[in-house]
Amino acid sequence: MTINPALFSSATDEWATPQDLFDLLAREFAFDLDVCATPGNAKSEYFFTKADDGLRQTWTSRAAWMNPPYSAVAAWMEKAASEAAKGATVVCLVPARTDTKWFQAAFEKASEVRFLKGRLKFGESKNSAPFPSAVVVFEPPRTFVKSVTCWNWRKTQ
């Protein structure tokens, strides 16, 4: 068994979205923008790369997918909440780090948080990530009841 050492270090902050999870969410949200992508892993026809700097772009009037670089997750979550306040729906795949300031701030502003049951296998990895994950949804302002679930997404497919 070969273990990718980057999974257990800070050697990378790019965690390729598991395609089956993305497909399930794409059916629900109909994404038309991937705000944190590379040309090789973009999940939408329209996407922002590191060179485009999605933090400086406008995401409004889009259903956006976001799997941010985890080294800067706080800034990306703040941007997602800001763009939702302007009219975007933003669905984020992030580590479920409930003890962090960024997660607590995101939780306060999110319309929905889905704690994923089990651990994800990112990209082509044969091993699960060393951390739990959550899907955090930011929606345009409206009256809603916050939804928090432990989501067994594998049984939804």
Side-chain angles (χ1 to χ4, degrees):
M1 173 195 306
T2 303
I3 297 176
N4 180 350
L7 287 175
F8 298 96
S9 74
S10 58
T12 182
D13 64 353
E14 293 181 3
W15 298 81
T17 302
Q19 191 63 48
D20 51 348
L21 173 62
F22 176 80
D23 290 344
L24 184 61
L25 291 166
R27 284 194 296 273
E28 182 178 352
F29 292 98
F31 302 117
D32 60 2
L33 177 65
D34 184 342
V35 299
C36 301
T38 67
N41 73 11
K43 297 295 184 192
S44 178
E45 179 181 355
Y46 300 101
F47 58 92
F48 299 137
T49 65
K50 191 173 188 176
D52 297 322
D53 191 357
L55 290 173
R56 295 185 180 266
Q57 304 295 328
T58 299
W59 309 352
T60 52
S61 76
R62 302 231 183 235
W65 169 252
M66 186 178 89
N67 180 359
Y70 291 176
S71 64
V73 68
W76 285 96
M77 294 301 277
E78 186 177 315
K79 175 69 171 176
S82 172
E83 291 299 320
K86 298 177 201 171
T89 294
V90 185
V91 180
C92 315
L93 176 61
V94 295
R97 295 189 174 129
T98 60
D99 59 330
T100 62
K101 289 179 183 177
W102 69 260
F103 193 95
Q104 292 167 13
F107 185 87
E108 292 298 319
K109 296 175 183 171
S111 57
E112 183 177 358
V113 177
R114 300 177 190 180
F115 293 100
L116 301 182
K117 288 189 176 185
R119 298 219 173 158
L120 295 178
K121 291 183 181 176
F122 287 90
E124 301 300 318
S125 177
K126 297 190 184 331
N127 299 300
S128 298
F131 52 82
S133 298
V135 172
V136 179
V137 180
F138 296 98
E139 295 180 280
R142 61 180 174 87
T143 302
F144 60 81
V145 175
K146 185 181 299 277
S147 172
V148 179
T149 60
C150 289
W151 186 37
N152 194 350
W153 62 278
R154 290 178 179 93
K155 290 191 176 184
T156 307
Q157 298 180 37

